[in-house]
Amino acid sequence: MLTMRPRGTNDIMPGEVETWQYLERQLRHICGEYGYAEIRTPIFEHTELFLRGVGDTTDIVEKEMYTFIDRGERSVTLRPEGTASAVRAYLEDKLYAGPQPVKLYYTGPMFRYDRPQAGRYRQFHQFGVEVFGSHDPAVDAEVIAMSMDFYGRIGLKNLALHVNSVGCPACRPHLRRQLQDFFRPRLASLCPNCRERYEKNPLRILDCKESRCSELGAEAPTTIDCLCDSCLTHFASVKKHLDLLHLPYIVDRRLVRGLDYYTHTAFEIMAPDIGAQSSIGGGGRYNGLVETCGGPPTPGIGYALGLERIILAMKNQGCAIPRSPGLDVFVVTAGREAEHTAFHLLFKIRRAGISADKDYLNRSLKAQMKYAGKAGTRFAVIIGEEELKSDTAVVRDMDAQEQATVAMGEVIKYLQAKMRHAPRLP
Ligand SMILES: [Zn+2]
Ligand SMILES: [Zn+2]
């Protein structure tokens, strides 16, 4: 047990972590371009927030939350998603009183007690954006377009953008009645979960993964059949804005998403090559959520993607993932006295902004050279007895396999010139 990580968790090790850092850089970069500011919220919150903010008839809340009683006898939950916390912070820090819209992004670990499968973990990582304070359908299109822009930048191809409108509180009761009328004679054929959903939230029957339910649901009335005029106008405008950007999309009448809080626009991005569950991100508008969480009526829309799934899709599609360039310099020494000089030089090299390391295992000169080569170091700076006497160092270019003797005081300048002249290829 001691040397095993808990089921559904992952170590992100050197060699793999560079991919994460690359994705995080790309995400921060694109958020900067689109005018989103980062928000960092706690990893746990009062359980009540998720009961309200995610919806207590959802799978997440019913089956998947990491909830525990802390030493102060309060119920707290490891966050299963990012939106509820963003809403809580928006309210607690009174961002609604400032200029609108408020455009936020977050990235970090989330927790769900789910059955682990390809690309799905109990501790997983999400990136997401939230926009509060605007009803404008152009914002829906911006959030959708930003996600597609991001996928394009990291080289993902053959993606399918699915969009739908899931209606609003004005048209939901109509839809609810239509769905209940449709499923009433078929109630006995639904799975036990859906028989419960029939009363509590019939829309979620359309989201069921059981084949008997999805077969029945294929004939059911859809949200689009029941939209009110204002929902129809909003949806038409979202599509118009996507057309302006020449973004192809599929209107997917079956798309309802798993969370209760969506209104109007819902969207999801599908990638081939990552198995049956091919979604690599999605989101939607949630105009009622801020009010549900105790705030003033405030429109909102968000989007989230799972980084593990993105990395899986990138690997399966053979996307270029930049690898770590390795150390610039390894300082190689022979003898105790040379070690003192080398230790001093090592820190001078680092202070000049060049990455460097040295031997700490008292290896032979030959073994040090071998180690430096294996570590993919570009230069070896060698200080032996000869060099110590003449106050010089041998600088060996490991890539070009050539070397030169350089005065000790000139080593850094020499390295800088070499690196400027021939930067290392990634
Ligand atoms: Zn409506
Ligand atoms: Zn079902």
Side-chain angles (χ1 to χ4, degrees):
M1 286 292 273
L2 217 54
T3 54
M4 275 170 64
R5 58 177 183 259
R7 195 167 132 95
T9 65
N10 232 335
D11 299 311
I12 304 171
M13 303 294 283
E16 180 79 20
V17 81
E18 289 79 8
T19 305
W20 288 77
Q21 291 168 340
Y22 162 72
L23 283 179
E24 284 156 6
R25 276 198 306 277
Q26 296 283 335
L27 288 168
R28 288 180 200 290
H29 190 78
I30 197 169
C31 284
E33 285 178 5
Y34 281 73
Y36 288 76
E38 185 177 3
I39 179 174
R40 300 188 187 190
T41 62
I43 278 176
F44 62 91
E45 300 268 4
H46 296 300
T47 301
E48 183 64 23
L49 176 67
F50 301 116
L51 298 184
R52 288 274 204 98
V54 179
D56 50 16
T57 66
T58 57
D59 281 355
I60 295 179
V61 167
E62 284 182 340
K63 297 182 226 157
E64 298 172 358
M65 291 210 302
Y66 274 94
T67 298
F68 57 97
I69 304 296
D70 73 7
R71 286 167 190 270
E73 313 230 306
R74 285 168 293 254
S75 178
V76 295
T77 295
L78 301 182
R79 62 182 183 192
E81 54 101 66
T83 303
S85 301
V87 169
R88 201 256 317 126
Y90 176 82
L91 292 175
E92 190 164 359
D93 293 274
K94 299 195 173 54
L95 298 185
Y96 54 82
Q100 307 294 307
V102 173
K103 298 166 78 173
L104 303 171
Y105 80 90
Y106 60 81
T107 183
M110 309 286 161
F111 306 84
R112 286 184 204 175
Y113 195 85
D114 204 354
R115 196 164 52 84
Q117 47 182 310
R120 290 205 187 267
Y121 299 93
R122 288 178 177 171
Q123 175 173 335
F124 60 102
H125 297 77
Q126 270 192 348
F127 158 81
V129 304
E130 315 290 348
V131 185
F132 296 105
S134 171
H135 285 282
D136 193 340
V139 175
D140 306 37
E142 175 183 296
V143 169
I144 295 171
M146 179 181 171
S147 70
M148 296 305 285
D149 190 359
F150 170 68
Y151 295 129
R153 289 181 194 203
I154 58 173
L156 287 176
K157 291 190 185 70
N158 305 323
L159 304 182
L161 167 60
H162 292 225
V163 298
N164 192 18
S165 173
V166 296
C168 71
C171 43
R172 275 282 168 80
H174 178 46
L175 173 67
R176 192 186 156 89
R177 268 194 312 275
Q178 294 268 313
L179 284 171
Q180 284 180 331
D181 287 347
F182 174 84
F183 282 114
R184 193 170 301 117
R186 299 166 173 86
L187 207 50
S189 316
L190 293 173
C191 77
N193 271 338
C194 284
R195 260 173 269 155
E196 257 181 60
R197 288 170 179 153
Y198 172 83
E199 285 301 335
K200 287 202 281 189
N201 189 355
L203 186 59
R204 297 221 42 239
I205 299 175
L206 303 179
D207 212 24
C208 184
K209 304 281 180 282
E210 297 264 341
S211 57
R212 51 181 165 161
C213 299
S214 51
E215 275 163 35
L216 280 178
E219 301 296 316
T222 65
T223 55
I224 288 191
D225 301 323
C226 304
L227 293 183
C228 66
D229 285 346
S230 112
C231 281
L232 280 171
T233 311
H234 186 94
F235 192 41
S237 179
V238 173
K239 289 186 288 183
K240 172 73 191 166
H241 283 85
L242 293 176
D243 293 339
L244 287 171
L245 298 173
H246 305 289
L247 255 184
Y249 55 86
I250 300 159
V251 176
D252 180 351
R253 303 161 77 93
R254 298 283 141 206
L255 174 65
V256 294
R257 313 238 342 127
L259 306 180
D260 288 348
Y261 53 58
Y262 288 108
T263 59
H264 303 276
T265 312
F267 66 99
E268 200 158 330
I269 295 94
M270 309 292 189
D273 329 311
I274 55 166
Q277 306 223 359
S278 58
S279 168
I280 53 164
R285 190 167 266 287
Y286 46 75
N287 288 350
L289 181 60
V290 175
E291 211 176 346
T292 302
C293 294
T298 309
I301 177 166
Y303 162 79
L305 61 81
L307 288 169
E308 282 85 358
R309 313 236 338 135
I310 297 297
I311 290 170
L312 186 64
M314 287 174 79
K315 281 184 183 156
N316 290 351
Q317 291 202 2
C319 297
I321 298 173
R323 60 187 179 88
S324 163
L327 276 183
D328 296 320
V329 170
F330 198 81
V331 183
V332 174
T333 54
R336 192 68 201 159
E337 210 164 319
E339 196 273 338
H340 288 170
T341 308
F343 194 67
H344 192 213
L345 178 64
L346 173 67
F347 278 75
K348 282 208 268 186
I349 293 172
R350 288 170 174 168
R351 272 186 225 122
I354 300 169
S355 65
D357 210 347
K358 73 179 277 296
D359 171 63
Y360 288 110
L361 290 177
N362 212 5
R363 291 182 179 91
S364 71
L365 193 139
K366 201 177 151 198
Q368 290 179 49
M369 288 300 290
K370 203 172 154 192
Y371 177 83
K374 260 196 190 159
T377 313
R378 165 122 192 234
F379 299 101
V381 173
I382 306 156
I383 308 171
E385 275 172 45
E386 277 301 303
E387 288 76 29
L388 215 51
K389 262 186 243 158
S390 57
D391 198 27
T392 59
V394 171
V395 180
R396 180 170 176 80
D397 187 329
M398 310 282 273
D399 290 351
Q401 300 206 355
E402 52 189 35
Q403 62 186 46
T405 302
V406 181
M408 190 60 85
E410 299 294 313
V411 168
I412 288 165
K413 255 190 241 160
Y414 179 86
L415 287 168
Q416 282 169 333
K418 273 258 185 185
M419 289 166 71
R420 224 181 2 255
H421 183 65
R424 194 165 218 195
L425 297 173

